[in-house]
Amino acid sequence: MAEDLSGLRTMARQAMKAEMLDADTELDLARAWRDKGCEASLHRLVNAYMRLAVSMAAKYRRYGAQMPDLVQEAGVGLMKAAEKFDPDRGVRFSTYAVWWIKASIQDYVMRNWSMVRTGSTSSQKALFFNLRRVRAKLEREAAANGETIDSQRLREMIAEEVGVPLRDVEMMDARLAGNDFSLNAQQAGEEGREWVEALEDESAQADETVTRNKDLGTARTWLKNAMDALNARERMIIIERKLKDDPRTLESLGSELGLSKERIRQLEAQALKKMRRELEARTGSAAEMLAHA
């Protein structure tokens, strides 16, 4: 941690010492990078605005992320801005870079806020960073007017204020109100019992396993009998086209057997018909197993 803080202080000092670019120099550097791929110009442009990245990163410390990580993400956003900046649009690079830096930092904060994905849409992002502020504002205004707002009405007002669906407000409110906890934590009043032990076992039960294995054995016998009805070439085509994890194409089989793609398709259809007839003769309705092959 001490090394991280030391590195951060060094980075901040270097950022503060970077040159201040005037508009003409900024445009020259941006054009040199865009038109000639001049990495020295890119490096100079990015270094000049690293102070902006550090300053914006500091505004997000309250979300619990480490400052070195925030600065790193801000730097990533700054690099993206420099790569995509069009100097002929008549906009200063600093104005353009703010959006990219902010987006990069916010994405990082939301990814690391919880083990459960907090949200990814624009409305969810707007709520994550504004819900508490907007709620506090609405509650202050209501208190000043001597009004009391119930929780449902407050969520509706927040949705209207931020311009997002009510369901997104309800979802984000629940996410921000709860905390992650370990499944290995012990349950209250249950000495030695962890929460993970209370999870339902989704694996198959013994009777289900026995039944499934029996059914699979029967299906394999039916399939073997149906395959025995084929000649060697038909059997090869079915194995390569239907029974392999990575099925071969009609073209590759045609090349190996010296036949056209259409002829391989015909032989495949012919073989499947033989297999269906064999299954019908032995098992009646079991022929449905290959009906969609």
Side-chain angles (χ1 to χ4, degrees), residues 4 150 239:
D4 289 342
D150 62 48
I239 290 174

Side-chain angles (χ1 to χ4, degrees), residues 19-219:
E19 65 178 318
M20 299 287 290
L21 300 179
D22 57 50
D24 291 336
T25 302
E26 180 183 289
L27 287 175
D28 289 341
L29 293 173
R31 288 190 177 115
W33 163 244
R34 182 195 63 183
D35 300 336
K36 302 176 183 178
C38 178
E39 294 187 2
S41 297
L42 173 64
H43 184 72
R44 186 179 169 189
L45 183 64
V46 169
N47 280 346
Y49 286 100
M50 195 61 200
R51 63 166 60 82
L52 174 63
V54 173
S55 175
M56 293 185 65
K59 297 177 181 179
Y60 290 85
R61 285 181 294 180
R62 67 181 182 276
Y63 291 101
Q66 297 295 318
M67 187 61 184
D69 295 329
L70 292 172
V71 171
Q72 180 175 323
E73 290 300 319
V76 170
L78 182 61
M79 285 294 297
K80 289 181 179 178
E83 291 175 1
K84 297 178 179 295
F85 180 59
D86 183 354
D88 296 328
R89 297 293 293 272
V91 178
R92 287 296 301 266
F93 176 69
S94 57
T95 303
Y96 181 78
V98 164
W99 188 91
W100 285 96
I101 295 171
K102 183 178 180 181
S104 185
I105 296 173
Q106 289 185 347
D107 285 345
Y108 173 79
V109 170
M110 292 187 71
R111 287 198 311 270
N112 291 275
W113 175 263
S114 168
M115 290 184 292
V116 179
R117 187 170 179 82
T118 306
S120 58
T121 67
S122 58
S123 65
Q124 290 167 348
K125 183 180 290 187
L127 280 170
F128 181 85
F129 291 102
N130 294 289
L131 189 147
R132 288 171 176 168
R133 177 184 59 79
V134 173
R135 174 189 281 116
K137 168 179 169 289
L138 293 173
E139 288 176 340
R140 284 196 306 271
E141 292 176 350
N145 295 327
E147 301 174 355
T148 300
I149 310 175
D150 62 48
S151 58
Q152 180 59 29
R153 176 54 185 157
L154 182 57
R155 284 192 288 266
E156 293 173 355
M157 294 171 67
I158 291 172
E160 183 178 352
E161 179 80 10
V162 182
V164 300
L166 176 59
R167 63 179 179 276
D168 283 357
V169 176
E170 294 171 340
M171 180 275 293
M172 189 59 65
D173 197 24
R175 290 282 177 86
L176 295 180
N179 295 315
D180 294 336
F181 68 93
S182 173
L183 288 174
N184 296 117
Q186 292 189 359
Q187 299 181 40
E190 298 286 343
E191 184 177 354
R193 189 182 186 194
E194 299 178 348
W195 279 104
V196 69
E197 297 176 45
L199 296 179
E200 180 182 356
D201 184 1
E202 297 182 354
S203 60
Q205 301 301 307
D207 57 338
E208 296 175 346
T209 301
V210 171
T211 301
R212 180 174 179 274
N213 289 341
K214 181 180 179 181
D215 290 343
L216 286 174
T218 301

Side-chain angles (χ1 to χ4, degrees), residues 224 226-241 243 271 275:
K224 181 181 181 301
M227 292 288 287
D228 288 343
L230 307 179
N231 60 41
R233 185 169 62 178
E234 292 169 340
R235 191 178 300 112
M236 173 194 174
I237 291 173
I238 292 299
I239 290 174
E240 295 295 332
R241 291 278 296 158
L243 303 181
M275 294 177 71

